[in-house]
Amino acid sequence: MALRERALVSPRSVPSLPKHVRIQYDPVRQAFAVLSPEKVFWPNDISLDILRRCDGRSTVGHIIAELAADYDAEQEAVAADVVAFLQEWSDKLLVKL
């Protein structure tokens, strides 16, 4: 069995959601869910902000800059959280790099 090489997040990575992953509003819970085959994730507002920016066009560096501006935070502080989040979701095959 061949192992998949782990994709690593870098500022130049251009993340996107794979075809099998989508964001959908759940009116019962009044919250957004991330749906993938046989799994449902309930991201918090900041995670949802990151995922919505994974459009296959924006680099991780651009996403970090936008979030830092939106949340009036230092880019360095935002960068660590964004990279860790995207790495975890990439490892779970929920984000493509």
Side-chain angles (χ1 to χ4, degrees), residues 66-77:
E66 281 186 344
L67 289 167
D70 288 355
Y71 288 94
D72 194 25
E74 292 293 322
Q75 282 198 32
E76 293 76 22

Side-chain angles (χ1 to χ4, degrees), residues 9 13-17 21 23 32 34 43-68 70-71 75 77-90 94-97:
V9 177
S13 299
V14 181
S16 64
L17 299 182
V21 175
I23 300 171
F32 283 92
V34 176
N44 64 28
D45 289 342
I46 294 172
S47 298
L48 202 53
D49 258 0
I50 296 168
L51 290 171
R52 285 188 172 133
R53 288 173 161 86
C54 294
D55 57 12
R57 294 185 304 273
S58 301
T59 64
V60 170
H62 184 75
I63 292 169
I64 290 167
E66 281 186 344
L67 289 167
D70 288 355
Y71 288 94
Q75 282 198 32
V78 172
D81 291 340
V82 170
V83 168
F85 174 82
L86 289 174
Q87 189 64 65
E88 178 184 341
W89 280 57
S90 170
L94 296 168
V95 169
K96 287 193 312 187
L97 298 176

